[in-house]
Amino acid sequence: LVSAFAVPAHAEPGVSAKSAILMHADSGRVLYEKNADEHMLIASTTKIMTAIVVLEHCALDELVEVDERSAGIEGSSMYLRAGESCTVEELLCGLLLVSGNDAATALALHAAGSMERFAELMNDKARELGMTGSHFENAHGLDAEGHHSTARDLAVLMAGCMSEALPA
């Protein structure tokens, strides 16, 4: 039987990304990698870790007061206004569905009191998951000195998400 999807064993995938990894989520077995341990800017993939940390420290129905530090932050936004209140669940939707930097900031401030303290929580979680090539400086992913990850660490993060979200 011949499959239309068969790829010769010697074929190199055509991956144009500077860094990449394909990892089996359950076993951690690496099937393909390219510069998988190179520190890279991680932009909005940061928000995956933000969501995990928020879910570990907040209840979905908690009310979050949006202040001027969150409203109007640069980049993608759910257009929060200072003085309005949203639930953690609503802000998580804005964080993950529209990549809201304002939602990320509001959640971080609510969960930890400051962006610096929230970044410490993110780094603690990264170490707990075995992410050895990552360092977080903020909850939204805007470029910052020392804010980076690797393809390998992001694969570890996603495998951790899948193991938490899917029934055994």
Side-chain angles (χ1 to χ4, degrees), residues 40-63:
M40 306 290 289
L41 296 174
I42 51 176
S44 285
T45 56
T46 299
K47 293 175 177 108
I48 299 164
M49 181 64 84
T50 299
I52 291 169
V53 172
V54 166
L55 287 167
E56 289 184 348
H57 290 86
C58 302
L60 291 176
D61 61 353
E62 285 180 35
L63 219 52

Side-chain angles (χ1 to χ4, degrees), residues 23-29 159 162-163:
M23 180 187 294
H24 188 278
D26 293 335
S27 69
R29 182 172 164 239
M162 291 172 57
S163 70

